């Protein structure tokens, strides 16, 4: 979720890992970003003018203007966010349709959905979701990002997004808002960037749509393996999908993770 430091850090980390891969002759054919990562995916696909260090600094300054002005936080409802698991798609839909104060924040995988409530406690959400056959785990999140409750805040961010140096993308970029590729029009891209703050992050569905479109090898260029875990759960039972991440884990440091990803991609023919 957005903050001044996290947005800048994710941008720089993505750029660094992509630079390493490009120097090795590895070029992805499609990109997807999660939440604040949507703009990073556009940048890596050539959708942001970023050909030299000056361009990078300008983009970082743009991010600073977007998130340093914390006035948008005044428009973010506060409440409770829980991690919900154990619900099928039908049960989840029934829950969201029957409860006015329950909002889907993100559908990351079959085992990881985030749900927000403005007035219910974690215990009340747990009891409610248990009635539909699921269970919850508490989180430290408390803001209604990626829900209709952030509509005013998202519109406030419009002026900053419209100032980004967007250009037509070179490669295909999928949005976790529409779950389909971004349009070529930069004006339409801005609309999706704004809309994605008012609608759930549908990472699971966008992965399945990319699989539908023929993609079988996925790499997470990140410092952690968060998205890899979501992808592993989403593609459980798929024998023709390869998943890699540059992220670190207790049993694997940064250098080893990067090396493992590069070797894995080489074995896949990249």
């Amino acid at each position: 979720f957005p903050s001044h430091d996290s947005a800048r850090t994710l941008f720089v980390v993505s750029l660094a890992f992509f630079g390493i891969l490009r120097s090795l002759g590895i070029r992805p054919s499609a990109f997807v970003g999660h939440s604040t990562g949507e703009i990073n995916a556009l940048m890596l696909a050539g959708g942001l003018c970023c050909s030299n260090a000056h361009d990078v600094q300008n983009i970082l300054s743009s991010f600073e203007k977007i998130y340093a002005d914390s006035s948008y936080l005044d428009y973010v409802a506060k409440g409770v966010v829980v991690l919900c698991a154990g619900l099928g798609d039908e049960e989840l839909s029934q829950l969201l349709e029957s409860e006015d104060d329950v909002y889907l924040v993100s559908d990351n995988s079959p085992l990881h959905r985030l749900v927000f409530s403005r007035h219910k406690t974690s215990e009340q959400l747990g009891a409610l979701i248990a009635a539909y056959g699921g269970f919850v785990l508490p989180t430290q999140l408390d803001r209604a990002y990626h829900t209709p409750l952030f509509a005013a805040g998202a519109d406030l961010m419009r002026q900053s997004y419209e100032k980004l140096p967007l250009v037509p993308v070179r490669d295909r970029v999928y949005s976790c808002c529409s779950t389909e590729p971004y349009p070529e029009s930069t004006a339409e891209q801005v609309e999706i960037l704004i809309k994605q703050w008012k609608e759930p992050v549908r990472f699971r569905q966008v992965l399945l749509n990319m699989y539908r479109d023929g993609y079988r090898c996925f790499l997470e260029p990140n410092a952690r393996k968060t998205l890899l875990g979501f992808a592993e759960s989403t593609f459980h039972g798929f024998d023709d999908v390869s998943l890699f991440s540059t992220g670190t884990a207790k049993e694997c440091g940064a250098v080893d993770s990067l090396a493992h990803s590069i070797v894995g991609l080489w074995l896949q023919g990249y």
Side-chain angles (χ1 to χ4, degrees), residues 238-256:
F238 289 64
D239 296 330
D240 57 345
V241 172
S242 299
L243 304 171
F244 305 100
S245 174
T246 58
T248 60
K250 291 182 179 179
E251 68 280 2
C252 189
V255 175
D256 289 339

Side-chain angles (χ1 to χ4, degrees), residues 18 26 36 38 56 67 88 135 171 186 255 257 263:
F18 184 70
I26 300 172
T36 56
E38 291 247 347
V56 173
Y67 298 117
F135 63 92
D171 303 303
T186 56
V255 175
S257 291
V263 171

Side-chain angles (χ1 to χ4, degrees), residues 14-210:
S14 298
L15 188 63
F17 279 125
F18 184 70
I20 293 173
L21 295 174
R22 187 168 60 180
S23 70
L24 296 172
I26 300 172
R27 187 181 180 88
S29 55
F31 297 83
V32 60
H34 185 287
S35 190
T36 56
E38 291 247 347
I39 193 67
N40 296 348
L42 279 175
M43 181 275 297
L44 295 177
L48 277 172
C49 184
C50 188
S51 58
N52 53 54
H54 179 69
D55 291 338
V56 173
Q57 185 57 51
N58 284 340
I59 294 172
L60 289 175
S61 297
S62 298
F63 284 159
E64 183 172 359
K65 291 176 182 177
I66 292 174
Y67 298 117
D69 179 9
S70 59
S71 59
Y72 70 91
L73 291 175
D74 296 336
Y75 298 90
V76 188
K78 296 190 71 174
V80 170
V81 178
V82 296
L83 190 160
C84 170
L87 290 182
D89 291 342
E90 183 176 347
E91 290 77 17
L92 179 62
S93 296
Q94 291 175 355
L95 168 66
L96 297 173
E97 291 173 1
S98 63
E99 296 293 330
D100 294 335
D101 187 35
V102 177
Y103 301 86
L104 179 65
V105 174
S106 61
D107 182 356
N108 295 316
S109 79
L111 302 178
H112 194 289
R113 278 105 168 229
L114 294 179
V115 172
F116 173 86
S117 176
R118 193 170 191 173
H119 303 294
K120 292 180 173 59
T121 65
S122 296
E123 292 75 15
Q124 289 172 329
L125 277 175
L128 176 63
I129 291 172
Y132 286 85
F135 63 92
V136 305
L137 293 174
T139 75
Q140 296 181 334
L141 304 174
D142 63 357
R143 301 274 186 172
Y145 295 116
H146 301 297
T147 76
L149 298 178
F150 189 43
D155 289 338
L156 186 66
M157 298 167 71
R158 173 185 295 276
Q159 57 186 339
S160 297
Y161 276 123
E162 289 178 339
K163 293 178 181 178
L164 289 173
L166 292 174
V167 297
V169 295
R170 294 190 304 265
D171 303 303
R172 181 174 289 189
V173 183
Y174 285 78
S175 168
C176 285
C177 176
S178 68
T179 73
E180 298 292 347
Y182 265 85
E184 294 184 3
S185 165
T186 56
E188 292 180 82
Q189 291 172 11
V190 169
E191 291 304 317
I192 292 179
L193 286 172
I194 296 167
K195 185 178 180 181
Q196 61 111 6
W197 288 114
K198 300 180 284 186
E199 296 194 5
V201 179
R202 300 190 181 278
F203 188 65
R204 175 175 67 104
Q205 188 59 53
V206 81
L207 289 181
L208 294 175
N209 286 357
M210 293 179 76

